[in-house]
Amino acid sequence: MIPAQRQKYNQEFTAEKYEKFMQELQADYPEIPFRVAETPIFIPKALKEKLIAAGNEIVSLIKQPNFKALTQNAIPAQWNVPNENDQPHFLTFDFGICKNEAGELTPMLIEMQGFPSLYGFQIHLANTYRESFDLDNTTSHYLNGFDEEKYTGLLKKVILGKHQPHEVALMDVDALNQKTAIDFLVTQKMLGIKILALEEIKQVGKQLFYEENGKLIQLKRIYNRLIFDEVAENTAIFKNSFDPRQELDIEWVTHPNWFYRISKYTMPFLDSEFVPETRFLNQVDSIPADLENYVLKPLFSFAGMGVIIDVNEADIKGIKDPENWILQRKVSYEPAVQSLDGGVKAEIRLMYLWADGEEPQLCINLGRLSRGKMIGVRYNADFDWVGGTIGFMEQ
């Protein structure tokens, strides 16, 4: 999207460079199970400023004093975790890159989460792109004046809080077998924290422990990467570890309730040029005549699961819990990233860190490229110049 950067990159690109890039990216780590794109996204200053403005509007809503009251029904009763804190520690907003009526590139909100993303891996990815493809320093993957030292310091502050690294653990169901395991490993290398599968954590009274060298070590803070939707059909797994839904002497980064509060559930409350028309399905009085221009999304799902793209009236009438669905106007992605053989659609995720008692900080980003019907990696398995990437922003 920065013409000079794109032209130079494409002219100098070779399959051999990409292969070497992937070797460097995976050196010292297990093979990455998701596709990494052949290119970063070069974001011009005008689009960067729109992304920042769009993010600011969403942050303003989240910081409203009534936000918790507004989103109380977002949390499923069976997954409401006690001792919720006053703020999330992570905010991620996904924007499709589109064209507005004036023909300018503009972001449109697709998804939002109060949950961590690849906060460690994106640094490693950006640095490897720069080294492997000999990129200049006129762009940055950081925002808001951040650099690697400042970013790493804030990430450490957010995840560790007031504790020592051995008292903090990154937790997921089967952590090292998750698709995002490389992010877990990069984060561990940066911060020195433990990576624990759920079943490696044991409960004694209200306290949580893990075993190391035959000794029990108390956990004070959990960097939570467990999405409850993933274990909804297998809650027996908690019997071999601990049930997060009870009173525990533990700090959450971030507390599980924020995953629901800041989600698709929040989108109907946003009124912005950067947010497509979104309504709770149970509040739709009449089905739109141009239903082909809408998409139907379940509130409680992840990675695009359950989304109905080509909606018809029968789909809507067949929904038994309309309060748990949204009807959203479709977003038309602009194939704005030029590959070697045509345009590719792009999505940019703005990633914020929010330390306890401080203000949210926009720090870094994540990109995804797509030629498929949807952006997610699983929908682009048979294409090249698609997959996970990062935006290099014009300074």
Side-chain angles (χ1 to χ4, degrees):
M1 286 181 257
I2 303 174
Q5 293 273 5
R6 174 51 57 205
Q7 187 175 8
K8 181 177 185 291
Y9 190 94
N10 287 14
Q11 284 175 346
E12 296 177 357
F13 179 86
T14 65
E16 290 74 24
K17 277 187 179 180
Y18 175 66
E19 189 176 330
K20 189 177 179 210
F21 157 76
M22 287 301 301
Q23 288 171 358
E24 289 294 322
L25 194 63
Q26 297 173 116
D28 303 322
Y29 295 108
E31 184 177 345
I32 298 171
F34 55 86
R35 195 172 199 288
V36 178
E38 281 81 346
T39 179
I41 305 169
F42 298 107
I43 307 288
K45 187 178 286 186
L47 180 56
K48 177 180 79 169
E49 289 172 353
K50 287 179 184 175
L51 282 161
I52 292 169
N56 286 342
E57 290 185 9
I58 303 169
V59 169
S60 293
L61 172 72
I62 293 166
K63 290 179 67 180
Q64 285 181 190
N66 67 337
F67 184 74
K68 277 197 172 185
L70 207 60
T71 56
Q72 192 54 43
N73 291 336
I75 306 166
Q78 70 272 29
W79 294 116
N80 198 340
V81 174
N83 301 321
E84 183 182 327
N85 64 334
D86 292 333
Q87 66 185 62
H89 296 94
F90 308 93
L91 298 173
T92 65
F93 308 146
D94 292 347
F95 294 95
I97 304 305
C98 308
K99 264 192 179 174
N100 61 19
E101 292 179 358
E104 303 164 331
L105 291 177
T106 194
M108 289 296 286
L109 184 66
I110 304 298
E111 178 68 279
M112 54 196 295
Q113 288 187 332
F115 192 77
S117 184
L118 308 183
Y119 281 86
F121 177 66
Q122 289 305 104
I123 305 174
H124 176 52
L125 178 62
N127 290 342
T128 310
Y129 270 126
R130 288 198 180 279
E131 292 163 11
S132 299
F133 293 97
D134 193 27
L135 302 178
D136 63 40
N137 292 318
T138 60
T139 61
S140 177
H141 48 289
Y142 296 106
L143 296 110
N144 198 24
F146 276 84
D147 57 23
E148 188 159 332
E149 183 180 2
K150 185 179 177 185
Y151 174 77
T152 304
L154 183 56
L155 186 66
K156 184 175 183 179
K157 185 177 188 178
V158 167
I159 293 177
L160 295 184
K162 299 175 183 177
H163 304 292
Q164 296 300 310
H166 71 273
E167 297 174 316
V168 181
L170 185 156
M171 180 196 76
D172 206 335
V173 178
D174 186 10
L176 292 177
N177 287 315
Q178 294 290 333
K179 285 189 175 181
T180 50
I182 189 166
D183 176 68
F184 300 172
L185 292 164
V186 172
T187 304
Q188 180 183 51
K189 192 174 181 180
M190 290 169 61
L191 306 182
I193 62 177
K194 299 294 295 184
I195 299 173
L196 297 176
L198 181 66
E199 292 186 338
E200 292 178 287
I201 299 174
K202 304 302 175 190
Q203 181 176 346
V204 180
K206 290 186 177 182
Q207 297 178 331
L208 301 179
F209 297 83
Y210 67 93
E211 188 175 325
E212 188 168 76
N213 299 324
K215 294 181 179 179
L216 285 180
I217 298 172
Q218 186 183 352
L219 277 177
K220 304 287 183 67
R221 195 168 171 98
I222 289 177
Y223 179 28
N224 181 44
R225 304 298 290 264
L226 169 65
I227 296 174
F228 286 156
D229 289 9
E230 293 183 4
V231 295
E233 305 301 320
N234 185 29
T235 53
I237 195 169
F238 294 144
K239 292 179 182 176
N240 297 322
S241 179
F242 72 100
D243 192 327
R245 298 167 293 183
Q246 60 185 303
E247 290 278 348
L248 295 166
D249 183 13
I250 195 74
E251 294 174 8
W252 293 98
V253 191
T254 193
H255 192 282
N257 290 359
W258 288 105
F259 173 79
Y260 296 104
R261 290 191 185 278
I262 301 170
S263 63
K264 290 186 284 287
Y265 189 94
T266 322
M267 293 183 69
F269 302 110
L270 289 161
D271 182 15
S272 166
E273 65 175 295
F274 305 117
V275 179
E277 174 200 333
T278 307
R279 290 177 286 169
F280 293 111
L281 189 58
N282 66 332
Q283 294 178 8
V284 174
D285 296 325
S286 59
I287 295 174
D290 59 339
L291 198 53
E292 69 276 7
N293 293 320
Y294 288 81
V295 61
L296 197 56
K297 296 181 178 181
L299 290 175
F300 308 117
S301 72
F302 60 100
M305 300 297 287
V307 174
I308 303 173
I309 299 175
D310 300 314
V311 190
N312 57 49
E313 287 195 30
D315 292 322
I316 292 176
K317 290 174 180 175
I319 300 294
K320 293 183 171 57
D321 56 342
E323 69 280 4
N324 292 327
W325 290 74
I326 54 171
L327 187 66
Q328 185 178 81
R329 182 166 282 279
K330 281 182 180 176
V331 168
S332 179
Y333 288 77
E334 178 69 14
V337 176
Q338 289 303 311
S339 74
L340 300 183
D341 60 349
V344 181
K345 295 177 285 188
E347 197 168 278
I348 295 290
R349 173 175 294 172
L350 297 183
M351 297 164 60
Y352 297 72
L353 291 171
W354 197 344
D356 290 319
E358 297 185 9
E359 291 294 308
Q361 300 280 330
L362 173 58
C363 304
I364 200 168
N365 77 91
L366 177 152
R368 290 189 286 186
L369 293 175
S370 171
R371 298 181 195 247
K373 201 166 190 178
M374 290 177 69
I375 284 281
V377 172
R378 73 180 68 200
Y379 305 102
N380 286 273
D382 300 325
F383 301 108
D384 61 2
W385 284 66
V386 299
T389 183
I390 193 160
F392 285 155
M393 311 273 178
E394 189 173 17
Q395 304 273 44

